[in-house]
Amino acid sequence: MAQLLDGKETAREIREELKTRCAVLKGKGVTPGLAVVLVGNDPASAIYVGQKEKACGDVGFSSFRYALPASATEKELLDLIGQLNADTRIHGILVQLPLPKGLSVDRVIGRIDPGKDVDGFHPLNAGRLACGLPGIVPCTPKGVMRILERYAIPLEGRNAVVVGRSNIVGKPMAHLLLGANMTVTICHSRTPDLGAETRRADLIIVAAGRPGIVDGSMVKEGAVVVDVGIHRTAEGIVGDVKFEDVAEKASWITPVPGGVGPLTIAMLLENTLELAERAGRKE
Ligand code: NAD
């Protein structure tokens, strides 16, 4: 039976460290500030934005919410980001995704000052990660690396399979695992036999956005399984992994909820603080 990789507890420890770092920075006259931009009225997005604002308040950061209607034009959104780029109270800018239809995610992300790109989605930061250079790393994959480190999961020389190739989870995840000297396979919707790939893996990261896509038959005995998926169902929140089934085979597994979700928020706070510390050094 697998042991739990406890994201909630790991995130709590990280937030405690961040409170201390935040107090030091405030002593120098800098309060970390996060701008959260919400466009339209997607209920899940509103929940995520609320959680992020609360998390900021809990560690002593300022947060600023900018809500635009679903009818907002791309120019209005780009102009707002331009203003936030110039606002010295703001160290990190987050545009909550998905955006309403008709707005280009690429153009919107591309407008964010790379020095305020708290999500690490700007092509410059994505490129730095791909080149193995230091920079702002997307929160979810960064959080996954942090929990693997906390539980001393051996990575070097082992096989990792990442299920999903999105720019916000799958691809940056694969780069981070490569950076940890793993042999990395990326699977996606056109992979013909997902189970054949995952069964070879010592570490499986599932970020497919498909509830229960990975079951016990697809997991090697003793593998480590990280479930990034989040789905709100009538039975509660579930992930991309059939937890009970996979927990029979895995050595370690993240629960949903209480796994990757809390870590993502903790890493958002850490990225905001890093950007504020950098800005503080420039002043
Ligand atoms: P996405 O829809 O952008 O990407 C999904 C990826 O999965 C795609 O690359 C697709 O090719 C792949 N995929 C789809 N069906 C597949 C299949 N049958 N076999 C193999 N690959 C398949 O999603 P995303 O933004 O990367 O998010 C993935 C999941 O993670 C979602 O459930 C999302 O809600 C969740 N998520 C959670 C957090 C968190 O904090 N825990 C953060 C971000 C995303």
Side-chain angles (χ1 to χ4, degrees):
M1 192 66 188
Q3 300 187 70
L4 279 191
L5 295 165
D6 186 342
K8 213 170 154 185
E9 176 56 21
T10 308
R12 195 194 56 73
E13 289 169 8
I14 294 167
R15 284 199 308 271
E16 287 306 312
E17 288 168 28
L18 293 177
K19 273 186 202 167
T20 312
R21 278 169 68 187
C22 177
V24 171
L25 204 56
K26 279 184 165 175
K28 296 178 186 163
V30 180
T31 300
L34 177 70
V36 183
V37 180
L38 179 63
V39 190
N41 35 29
D42 178 53
S45 293
I47 293 174
Y48 292 141
V49 163
Q51 287 173 342
K52 290 168 185 176
E53 287 170 330
K54 182 179 178 306
C56 277
D58 289 349
V59 290
F61 297 1
S62 299
S63 67
F64 307 88
R65 181 193 285 217
Y66 298 86
L68 296 182
S71 58
T73 63
E74 194 169 293
K75 181 171 183 313
E76 284 166 339
L77 181 53
L78 294 177
D79 287 349
L80 171 62
I81 293 172
Q83 284 167 31
L84 302 178
N85 284 342
D87 187 334
T88 53
R89 295 169 307 162
I90 290 168
H91 304 103
I93 301 171
L94 178 158
V95 178
Q96 184 65 45
L97 301 178
L99 290 175
K101 282 204 171 58
L103 301 178
S104 157
V105 174
D106 290 340
R107 279 195 293 270
V108 169
I109 300 294
R111 177 60 65 93
I112 298 173
D113 176 345
K116 293 193 175 187
D117 172 33
V118 72
D119 268 327
F121 295 162
H122 189 285
L124 194 90
N125 286 316
R128 292 185 74 83
L129 178 60
C131 294
L133 295 170
I136 288 293
V137 173
C139 304
T140 300
K142 187 179 183 186
V144 172
M145 294 308 286
R146 198 57 69 81
I147 200 168
L148 295 173
E149 192 185 319
R150 178 180 190 261
Y151 287 89
I153 303 297
L155 304 179
E156 183 158 329
R158 302 196 174 205
N159 287 325
V161 167
V162 179
V163 185
R165 58 173 163 183
S166 72
N167 288 339
I168 69 173
V169 188
K171 280 184 205 156
M173 188 75 251
H175 286 304
L176 289 169
L177 296 172
L178 269 181
N181 298 317
M182 298 197 82
T183 302
V184 182
T185 303
I186 306 178
C187 299
H188 47 77
S189 52
R190 311 283 173 89
T191 301
D193 185 352
L194 184 60
E197 307 295 340
T198 54
R199 272 188 291 276
R200 291 188 292 109
D202 303 302
L203 170 66
I204 309 173
I205 313 281
V206 193
R210 299 278 181 275
I213 193 177
V214 170
D215 65 26
S217 74
M218 298 162 75
V219 175
K220 176 170 85 173
E221 198 72 47
V224 176
V225 180
V226 174
D227 188 352
V228 178
I230 304 182
H231 309 278
R232 286 164 210 283
T233 70
E235 289 77 46
I237 297 178
V238 300
D240 283 355
V241 170
K242 284 196 176 133
F243 182 86
E244 308 295 336
D245 197 25
V246 170
E248 299 277 327
K249 301 276 277 299
S251 55
W252 292 94
I253 188 167
T254 56
V256 178
V260 176
L263 290 166
T264 296
I265 294 187
M267 293 299 104
L268 173 69
L269 298 174
E270 189 176 272
N271 281 355
T272 305
L273 188 84
E274 275 177 24
L275 292 171
E277 285 172 342
R278 274 195 213 171
R281 281 196 293 275
K282 275 187 224 144
E283 275 161 12

